[in-house]
Amino acid sequence: MDQKFYARPVLEVAQDLIGCLLTHGPCSGVIVETEAYHDSEPACHAFIGVTPRTETLFGAPGRAYVYRSYGVHAMLNAVCEPEGVGAAVLIRALEPVDGIELMAVRRGAAKLTGLCSGPGKLTQALGITLADNRSDLTHGSIVISERPDGSGDPVIQRDRRIGITKATELEWRFCLADSRFLSRPVGRVARA
DNA sequence: CATGGGATTGACT
DNA sequence: GTCAATCCCATGC
């Protein structure tokens, strides 16, 4: 997948990433859940403008934006839209494919469905850290590759984003229909 | 320099 | 269901 794939509206890229394969070292998984973020809405880190932290978001598309959440977890995003626009797709869940044993060790022997069912979980399982921030998703240590031809277009469900406190009304979360590997089921109210 | 908040998770009641 | 852990960084004095 080339840079042009990412230099498009973030909502399109978020949907098109569903079903793609994400690989880091010996571990890989199929993307089953994403969320879109854009500098026009306050839930996006880029909403506040360009700072040292958000510089990656406004930079070249096709790069990784990795940041630490709640002081504990790394979150992996794919930077989208042309340079100068602050937008990214958060990778929220994977269906494990390769390196499952290593993922289980890193995660502490969780069940298969719990290995990558959340944005903090999948970075832990794949060994992605803040050092991967700004790395190139088209040729770097993290690679996202197209879904196989003939697998057909996946059926995608749309929902509200999870875990945010602003712009909660936007339905910018995309899930592979009926996947067992989502961070949460579709169609429930996120957060009590 | 001090402070406060957050795109989460997991342990506990 | 509730709640703490823990750190990066934006903001304000």
Side-chain angles (χ1 to χ4, degrees), chain A residues 1-98:
Chain A
M1 237 136 49
D2 56 3
Q3 198 183 46
K4 275 168 98 168
F5 175 86
Y6 298 100
R8 294 184 296 142
V10 67
L11 287 173
E12 289 181 18
V13 180
Q15 294 175 71
D16 290 347
L17 281 174
I18 299 291
C20 293
L21 189 70
L22 175 69
T23 304
H24 182 249
C27 300
S28 68
V30 175
I31 298 171
V32 297
E33 180 178 346
T34 62
E35 282 177 3
Y37 289 85
H38 189 275
D39 61 25
S40 61
E41 47 90 14
C44 183
H45 292 172
F47 183 69
I48 59 173
V50 181
T51 66
R53 183 196 201 186
T54 63
E55 190 183 0
T56 312
L57 283 169
F58 287 92
R63 300 295 198 94
Y65 168 55
V66 184
Y67 72 96
R68 190 169 299 287
S69 173
Y70 293 91
V72 181
H73 307 283
M75 302 283 174
L76 172 64
N77 300 251
V79 175
C80 294
E81 311 245 359
E83 195 160 342
V85 179
V89 174
L90 171 68
I91 311 297
R92 286 193 56 89
L94 305 177
E95 176 174 342
V97 175
D98 288 315

